């Protein structure tokens, strides 16, 4: 039996930040937080303007009291995320991947020596802790409260995991948008319902919560679980747009704001990002963990459909061909999605009589458009 799980999203037009070109590649991981090797605005996330580094990647500065967690690598620290000095997975003896930082000590568990290993290590590491955190608010007194730091961090971690898998830069949260989203979550919780335009008569109504409701993905689920739900984007009300997924995987997404109670959540989607990708597919070009096909037990990507979105390529006349392992036809039902919901154009491709399987490569060709799109989805079981 499938669990009732509701999503609403605000569809809005986004200006194209595309600069042309830019076909996705095969998860050629680097150590700057991106799954693939394409340059983007966040490619130098390990730059540190506050400290000079020596040949070993350790900081030399005048801070007399190092503070772990301030984002600046001080003397005696191996890292202070996002600051890793000159250290990378490669300088630690791996072929690629993304370094992690635990208690200001370098963690190489997300590095690897093959693309499958790199992707699976990142997938398993980022999903090792998907706890929701604790909400400090109260519906009875309309106290907004906040979700505990770990809950918000885990939700953001999953957002950036999905973006990394399709070669999009990571995003951050904005404290103002976090607060707005938290007030939005309180409104939804207090009324046991979802609305992008909550009436002023609703319990615990606030203007900031109303604002966030209009510019957010909203879900009848806490914040961490909602991320997987948005990427799957199930339900007949979402089928025509797949807007939750498209917004998270858009060029303009971020900074975001994340608010959650123990039963409802809001994710601010009105962003100012400029990733500039010509097109983005989910699942994307390269290695796909089989577990990403059904990250929640109630739905599957094979039911909700694969998608391709673009801000610069008109996909309204697109035709699609998918073959498995170079020869086996995999028919799909193609649907033109509502324009402007996270991208100017988008299509969904729902498997017709087949399911995504590990150990196979799915070659996708999208033609009858100005710039044909081709890519390979390489499915591997990570657990």
């Amino acid at each position: 039996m499938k669990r009732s799980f509701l999503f609403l999203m605000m569809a809005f037009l986004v200006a194209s930040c595309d600069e042309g070109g830019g076909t996705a590649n095969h998860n050629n991981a680097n150590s700057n937080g991106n799954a693939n090797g394409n340059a983007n605005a966040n490619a130098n996330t390990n730059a540190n303007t506050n400290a000079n580094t020596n040949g070993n990647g350790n900081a030399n500065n005048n801070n007399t009291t190092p503070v772990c967690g301030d984002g600046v690598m001080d003397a005696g620290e191996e890292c202070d995320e996002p600051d890793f000095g000159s250290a990378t997975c490669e300088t630690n003896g791996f072929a690629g991947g993304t370094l992690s930082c635990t208690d200001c000590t370098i963690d190489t568990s997300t590095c690897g020596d093959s693309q499958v290993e790199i992707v699976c290590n990142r997938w398993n590491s980022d999903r090792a802790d998907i706890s929701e955190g604790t909400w400090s608010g109260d519906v009875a007194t309309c106290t907004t409260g906040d979700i505990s730091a770990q809950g918000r961090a885990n939700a953001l971690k999953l957002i950036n995991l999905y973006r990394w898998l399709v070669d999009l830069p990571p995003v951050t949260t904005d404290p103002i948008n976090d607060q707005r989203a938290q007030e939005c979550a309180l409104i939804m919780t207090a009324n046991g319902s979802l609305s992008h335009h909550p009436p002023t008569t609703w319990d615990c109504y606030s203007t900031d919560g109303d604002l966030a409701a209009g510019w957010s993905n909203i879900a009848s689920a806490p914040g961490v679980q909602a991320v997987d739900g948005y990427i799957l984007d199930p339900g007949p009300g979402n089928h025509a747009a797949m807007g939750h997924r498209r917004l998270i995987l858009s060029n303009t997404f971020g900074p975001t704001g994340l608010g959650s109670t123990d039963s409802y959540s809001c994710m601010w989607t009105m962003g100012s990002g400029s990733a500039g990708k010509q097109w983005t597919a989910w699942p994307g070009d390269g290695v796909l963990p089989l577990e990403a096909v059904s990250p929640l037990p109630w739905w599957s990507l094979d039911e909700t459909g694969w998608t391709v979105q673009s801000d610069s390529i008109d996909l309204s006349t697109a035709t699609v061909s998918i073959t498995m392992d170079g020869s086996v036809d995999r028919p799909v039902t193609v649907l033109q999605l509502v324009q402007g919901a996270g991208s100017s154009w988008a299509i969904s491709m729902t498997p017709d009589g087949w399911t995504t399987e590990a150990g196979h490569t799915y070659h996708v060709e999208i033609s009858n458009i100005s710039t044909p799109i081709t890519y390979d989805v390489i499915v591997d079981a990570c657990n």
Side-chain angles (χ1 to χ4, degrees), residues 122-146:
R122 172 73 183 262
W123 176 267
N124 290 331
S125 176
D126 283 3
R127 300 184 71 88
D129 178 7
I130 53 174
S131 58
E132 294 288 352
T134 304
W135 178 47
S136 62
D138 180 65
V139 168
T141 58
C142 289
T143 301
T144 304
D146 201 2

PDB file of all heavy atoms in Angstrom, residues 122-146:
ATOM      1  N   ARG A 122      29.944   8.305  -2.365  1.00  0.00           N
ATOM      2  CA  ARG A 122      29.263   9.579  -2.064  1.00  0.00           C
ATOM      3  C   ARG A 122      27.802   9.309  -1.691  1.00  0.00           C
ATOM      4  O   ARG A 122      27.286   9.875  -0.719  1.00  0.00           O
ATOM      5  CB  ARG A 122      29.360  10.510  -3.265  1.00  0.00           C
ATOM      6  CG  ARG A 122      28.532  11.802  -3.165  1.00  0.00           C
ATOM      7  CD  ARG A 122      29.115  12.804  -2.180  1.00  0.00           C
ATOM      8  NE  ARG A 122      28.279  13.985  -2.045  1.00  0.00           N
ATOM      9  CZ  ARG A 122      28.479  15.154  -2.678  1.00  0.00           C
ATOM     10  NH1 ARG A 122      29.510  15.284  -3.501  1.00  0.00           N
ATOM     11  NH2 ARG A 122      27.680  16.174  -2.486  1.00  0.00           N
ATOM     12  N   TRP A 123      27.121   8.463  -2.459  1.00  0.00           N
ATOM     13  CA  TRP A 123      25.718   8.150  -2.173  1.00  0.00           C
ATOM     14  C   TRP A 123      25.566   7.571  -0.771  1.00  0.00           C
ATOM     15  O   TRP A 123      24.732   8.015   0.017  1.00  0.00           O
ATOM     16  CB  TRP A 123      25.178   7.187  -3.215  1.00  0.00           C
ATOM     17  CG  TRP A 123      23.772   6.720  -2.975  1.00  0.00           C
ATOM     18  CD1 TRP A 123      23.380   5.591  -2.308  1.00  0.00           C
ATOM     19  CD2 TRP A 123      22.562   7.377  -3.370  1.00  0.00           C
ATOM     20  NE1 TRP A 123      22.015   5.500  -2.272  1.00  0.00           N
ATOM     21  CE2 TRP A 123      21.483   6.583  -2.918  1.00  0.00           C
ATOM     22  CE3 TRP A 123      22.286   8.554  -4.077  1.00  0.00           C
ATOM     23  CZ2 TRP A 123      20.149   6.929  -3.152  1.00  0.00           C
ATOM     24  CZ3 TRP A 123      20.960   8.900  -4.306  1.00  0.00           C
ATOM     25  CH2 TRP A 123      19.917   8.100  -3.842  1.00  0.00           C
ATOM     26  N   ASN A 124      26.381   6.578  -0.455  1.00  0.00           N
ATOM     27  CA  ASN A 124      26.261   5.910   0.846  1.00  0.00           C
ATOM     28  C   ASN A 124      26.665   6.827   1.996  1.00  0.00           C
ATOM     29  O   ASN A 124      26.047   6.804   3.067  1.00  0.00           O
ATOM     30  CB  ASN A 124      27.104   4.638   0.860  1.00  0.00           C
ATOM     31  CG  ASN A 124      26.533   3.559  -0.040  1.00  0.00           C
ATOM     32  OD1 ASN A 124      25.323   3.493  -0.263  1.00  0.00           O
ATOM     33  ND2 ASN A 124      27.401   2.714  -0.585  1.00  0.00           N
ATOM     34  N   SER A 125      27.692   7.640   1.786  1.00  0.00           N
ATOM     35  CA  SER A 125      28.143   8.543   2.836  1.00  0.00           C
ATOM     36  C   SER A 125      27.092   9.617   3.129  1.00  0.00           C
ATOM     37  O   SER A 125      26.765   9.896   4.289  1.00  0.00           O
ATOM     38  CB  SER A 125      29.467   9.198   2.442  1.00  0.00           C
ATOM     39  OG  SER A 125      29.874  10.156   3.400  1.00  0.00           O
ATOM     40  N   ASP A 126      26.546  10.216   2.079  1.00  0.00           N
ATOM     41  CA  ASP A 126      25.591  11.301   2.273  1.00  0.00           C
ATOM     42  C   ASP A 126      24.261  10.811   2.830  1.00  0.00           C
ATOM     43  O   ASP A 126      23.479  11.602   3.370  1.00  0.00           O
ATOM     44  CB  ASP A 126      25.356  12.038   0.955  1.00  0.00           C
ATOM     45  CG  ASP A 126      26.504  12.972   0.605  1.00  0.00           C
ATOM     46  OD1 ASP A 126      27.499  12.993   1.358  1.00  0.00           O
ATOM     47  OD2 ASP A 126      26.412  13.682  -0.418  1.00  0.00           O
ATOM     48  N   ARG A 127      23.994   9.523   2.686  1.00  0.00           N
ATOM     49  CA  ARG A 127      22.733   8.978   3.193  1.00  0.00           C
ATOM     50  C   ARG A 127      22.915   8.158   4.468  1.00  0.00           C
ATOM     51  O   ARG A 127      21.959   7.538   4.946  1.00  0.00           O
ATOM     52  CB  ARG A 127      22.058   8.137   2.102  1.00  0.00           C
ATOM     53  CG  ARG A 127      21.743   8.941   0.845  1.00  0.00           C
ATOM     54  CD  ARG A 127      20.995   8.096  -0.166  1.00  0.00           C
ATOM     55  NE  ARG A 127      19.644   7.821   0.281  1.00  0.00           N
ATOM     56  CZ  ARG A 127      18.593   8.602   0.061  1.00  0.00           C
ATOM     57  NH1 ARG A 127      18.740   9.745  -0.592  1.00  0.00           N
ATOM     58  NH2 ARG A 127      17.397   8.266   0.500  1.00  0.00           N
ATOM     59  N   ALA A 128      24.118   8.165   5.021  1.00  0.00           N
ATOM     60  CA  ALA A 128      24.363   7.404   6.251  1.00  0.00           C
ATOM     61  C   ALA A 128      23.545   7.966   7.412  1.00  0.00           C
ATOM     62  O   ALA A 128      23.090   7.222   8.283  1.00  0.00           O
ATOM     63  CB  ALA A 128      25.852   7.413   6.592  1.00  0.00           C
ATOM     64  N   ASP A 129      23.351   9.276   7.440  1.00  0.00           N
ATOM     65  CA  ASP A 129      22.530   9.915   8.467  1.00  0.00           C
ATOM     66  C   ASP A 129      21.471  10.742   7.762  1.00  0.00           C
ATOM     67  O   ASP A 129      21.773  11.794   7.188  1.00  0.00           O
ATOM     68  CB  ASP A 129      23.385  10.806   9.372  1.00  0.00           C
ATOM     69  CG  ASP A 129      22.548  11.538  10.431  1.00  0.00           C
ATOM     70  OD1 ASP A 129      21.337  11.249  10.543  1.00  0.00           O
ATOM     71  OD2 ASP A 129      23.110  12.402  11.134  1.00  0.00           O
ATOM     72  N   ILE A 130      20.234  10.267   7.754  1.00  0.00           N
ATOM     73  CA  ILE A 130      19.136  11.030   7.160  1.00  0.00           C
ATOM     74  C   ILE A 130      18.055  11.297   8.224  1.00  0.00           C
ATOM     75  O   ILE A 130      16.868  11.337   7.935  1.00  0.00           O
ATOM     76  CB  ILE A 130      18.544  10.329   5.924  1.00  0.00           C
ATOM     77  CG1 ILE A 130      18.149   8.879   6.227  1.00  0.00           C
ATOM     78  CG2 ILE A 130      19.518  10.387   4.754  1.00  0.00           C
ATOM     79  CD1 ILE A 130      17.437   8.196   5.067  1.00  0.00           C
ATOM     80  N   SER A 131      18.525  11.485   9.453  1.00  0.00           N
ATOM     81  CA  SER A 131      17.607  11.798  10.544  1.00  0.00           C
ATOM     82  C   SER A 131      16.994  13.175  10.324  1.00  0.00           C
ATOM     83  O   SER A 131      17.606  14.068   9.729  1.00  0.00           O
ATOM     84  CB  SER A 131      18.336  11.747  11.884  1.00  0.00           C
ATOM     85  OG  SER A 131      19.422  12.653  11.907  1.00  0.00           O
ATOM     86  N   GLU A 132      15.785  13.355  10.833  1.00  0.00           N
ATOM     87  CA  GLU A 132      15.021  14.572  10.580  1.00  0.00           C
ATOM     88  C   GLU A 132      15.349  15.716  11.528  1.00  0.00           C
ATOM     89  O   GLU A 132      14.991  16.864  11.260  1.00  0.00           O
ATOM     90  CB  GLU A 132      13.521  14.270  10.666  1.00  0.00           C
ATOM     91  CG  GLU A 132      13.016  13.341   9.582  1.00  0.00           C
ATOM     92  CD  GLU A 132      12.962  13.996   8.202  1.00  0.00           C
ATOM     93  OE1 GLU A 132      13.175  15.219   8.105  1.00  0.00           O
ATOM     94  OE2 GLU A 132      12.696  13.272   7.229  1.00  0.00           O
ATOM     95  N   GLY A 133      15.993  15.434  12.629  1.00  0.00           N
ATOM     96  CA  GLY A 133      16.209  16.481  13.609  1.00  0.00           C
ATOM     97  C   GLY A 133      14.976  16.672  14.482  1.00  0.00           C
ATOM     98  O   GLY A 133      13.993  15.938  14.379  1.00  0.00           O
ATOM     99  N   THR A 134      15.015  17.681  15.317  1.00  0.00           N
ATOM    100  CA  THR A 134      13.942  17.929  16.289  1.00  0.00           C
ATOM    101  C   THR A 134      13.389  19.327  16.100  1.00  0.00           C
ATOM    102  O   THR A 134      14.147  20.299  16.001  1.00  0.00           O
ATOM    103  CB  THR A 134      14.475  17.782  17.724  1.00  0.00           C
ATOM    104  OG1 THR A 134      15.050  16.485  17.879  1.00  0.00           O
ATOM    105  CG2 THR A 134      13.346  17.957  18.725  1.00  0.00           C
ATOM    106  N   TRP A 135      12.065  19.428  16.070  1.00  0.00           N
ATOM    107  CA  TRP A 135      11.416  20.735  15.933  1.00  0.00           C
ATOM    108  C   TRP A 135      11.143  21.325  17.311  1.00  0.00           C
ATOM    109  O   TRP A 135      10.588  20.660  18.190  1.00  0.00           O
ATOM    110  CB  TRP A 135      10.109  20.581  15.160  1.00  0.00           C
ATOM    111  CG  TRP A 135       9.332  21.850  15.004  1.00  0.00           C
ATOM    112  CD1 TRP A 135       9.801  23.068  14.623  1.00  0.00           C
ATOM    113  CD2 TRP A 135       7.924  22.021  15.209  1.00  0.00           C
ATOM    114  NE1 TRP A 135       8.798  24.000  14.583  1.00  0.00           N
ATOM    115  CE2 TRP A 135       7.620  23.385  14.935  1.00  0.00           C
ATOM    116  CE3 TRP A 135       6.896  21.171  15.594  1.00  0.00           C
ATOM    117  CZ2 TRP A 135       6.334  23.896  15.041  1.00  0.00           C
ATOM    118  CZ3 TRP A 135       5.603  21.687  15.687  1.00  0.00           C
ATOM    119  CH2 TRP A 135       5.334  23.036  15.411  1.00  0.00           C
ATOM    120  N   SER A 136      11.510  22.590  17.499  1.00  0.00           N
ATOM    121  CA  SER A 136      11.365  23.235  18.806  1.00  0.00           C
ATOM    122  C   SER A 136      10.098  24.081  18.918  1.00  0.00           C
ATOM    123  O   SER A 136       9.870  24.712  19.949  1.00  0.00           O
ATOM    124  CB  SER A 136      12.584  24.122  19.085  1.00  0.00           C
ATOM    125  OG  SER A 136      12.688  25.167  18.119  1.00  0.00           O
ATOM    126  N   GLY A 137       9.275  24.119  17.863  1.00  0.00           N
ATOM    127  CA  GLY A 137       8.084  24.954  17.893  1.00  0.00           C
ATOM    128  C   GLY A 137       6.889  24.263  18.517  1.00  0.00           C
ATOM    129  O   GLY A 137       6.964  23.132  19.007  1.00  0.00           O
ATOM    130  N   ASP A 138       5.748  24.964  18.469  1.00  0.00           N
ATOM    131  CA  ASP A 138       4.536  24.434  19.094  1.00  0.00           C
ATOM    132  C   ASP A 138       3.313  25.006  18.388  1.00  0.00           C
ATOM    133  O   ASP A 138       3.171  26.232  18.260  1.00  0.00           O
ATOM    134  CB  ASP A 138       4.500  24.812  20.570  1.00  0.00           C
ATOM    135  CG  ASP A 138       3.257  24.280  21.268  1.00  0.00           C
ATOM    136  OD1 ASP A 138       3.126  23.049  21.373  1.00  0.00           O
ATOM    137  OD2 ASP A 138       2.424  25.105  21.692  1.00  0.00           O
ATOM    138  N   VAL A 139       2.447  24.117  17.904  1.00  0.00           N
ATOM    139  CA  VAL A 139       1.253  24.552  17.197  1.00  0.00           C
ATOM    140  C   VAL A 139       0.275  25.244  18.141  1.00  0.00           C
ATOM    141  O   VAL A 139      -0.338  26.268  17.788  1.00  0.00           O
ATOM    142  CB  VAL A 139       0.573  23.348  16.498  1.00  0.00           C
ATOM    143  CG1 VAL A 139      -0.815  23.718  16.018  1.00  0.00           C
ATOM    144  CG2 VAL A 139       1.433  22.861  15.334  1.00  0.00           C
ATOM    145  N   ALA A 140       0.127  24.744  19.339  1.00  0.00           N
ATOM    146  CA  ALA A 140      -0.870  25.279  20.276  1.00  0.00           C
ATOM    147  C   ALA A 140      -0.663  26.757  20.565  1.00  0.00           C
ATOM    148  O   ALA A 140      -1.627  27.515  20.735  1.00  0.00           O
ATOM    149  CB  ALA A 140      -0.843  24.480  21.575  1.00  0.00           C
ATOM    150  N   THR A 141       0.601  27.182  20.608  1.00  0.00           N
ATOM    151  CA  THR A 141       0.913  28.584  20.891  1.00  0.00           C
ATOM    152  C   THR A 141       1.395  29.332  19.646  1.00  0.00           C
ATOM    153  O   THR A 141       1.827  30.479  19.738  1.00  0.00           O
ATOM    154  CB  THR A 141       1.996  28.671  21.982  1.00  0.00           C
ATOM    155  OG1 THR A 141       3.169  27.973  21.542  1.00  0.00           O
ATOM    156  CG2 THR A 141       1.499  28.064  23.285  1.00  0.00           C
ATOM    157  N   CYS A 142       1.345  28.648  18.488  1.00  0.00           N
ATOM    158  CA  CYS A 142       1.834  29.219  17.226  1.00  0.00           C
ATOM    159  C   CYS A 142       3.293  29.679  17.350  1.00  0.00           C
ATOM    160  O   CYS A 142       3.692  30.723  16.800  1.00  0.00           O
ATOM    161  CB  CYS A 142       0.955  30.369  16.745  1.00  0.00           C
ATOM    162  SG  CYS A 142      -0.662  29.821  16.150  1.00  0.00           S
ATOM    163  N   THR A 143       4.069  28.900  18.080  1.00  0.00           N
ATOM    164  CA  THR A 143       5.504  29.188  18.206  1.00  0.00           C
ATOM    165  C   THR A 143       6.236  28.562  17.025  1.00  0.00           C
ATOM    166  O   THR A 143       6.216  27.343  16.847  1.00  0.00           O
ATOM    167  CB  THR A 143       6.054  28.611  19.516  1.00  0.00           C
ATOM    168  OG1 THR A 143       5.344  29.186  20.620  1.00  0.00           O
ATOM    169  CG2 THR A 143       7.541  28.896  19.645  1.00  0.00           C
ATOM    170  N   THR A 144       6.883  29.407  16.223  1.00  0.00           N
ATOM    171  CA  THR A 144       7.551  28.913  15.009  1.00  0.00           C
ATOM    172  C   THR A 144       8.665  27.948  15.347  1.00  0.00           C
ATOM    173  O   THR A 144       8.804  26.887  14.730  1.00  0.00           O
ATOM    174  CB  THR A 144       8.121  30.087  14.192  1.00  0.00           C
ATOM    175  OG1 THR A 144       7.075  31.008  13.897  1.00  0.00           O
ATOM    176  CG2 THR A 144       8.744  29.597  12.906  1.00  0.00           C
ATOM    177  N   GLY A 145       9.489  28.293  16.324  1.00  0.00           N
ATOM    178  CA  GLY A 145      10.621  27.451  16.664  1.00  0.00           C
ATOM    179  C   GLY A 145      11.552  27.270  15.477  1.00  0.00           C
ATOM    180  O   GLY A 145      11.619  28.100  14.569  1.00  0.00           O
ATOM    181  N   ASP A 146      12.253  26.157  15.472  1.00  0.00           N
ATOM    182  CA  ASP A 146      13.171  25.859  14.369  1.00  0.00           C
ATOM    183  C   ASP A 146      13.418  24.364  14.356  1.00  0.00           C
ATOM    184  O   ASP A 146      13.207  23.670  15.355  1.00  0.00           O
ATOM    185  CB  ASP A 146      14.490  26.617  14.546  1.00  0.00           C
ATOM    186  CG  ASP A 146      15.255  26.763  13.229  1.00  0.00           C
ATOM    187  OD1 ASP A 146      14.741  26.313  12.190  1.00  0.00           O
ATOM    188  OD2 ASP A 146      16.354  27.342  13.248  1.00  0.00           O
TER     189      ASP A 146
END
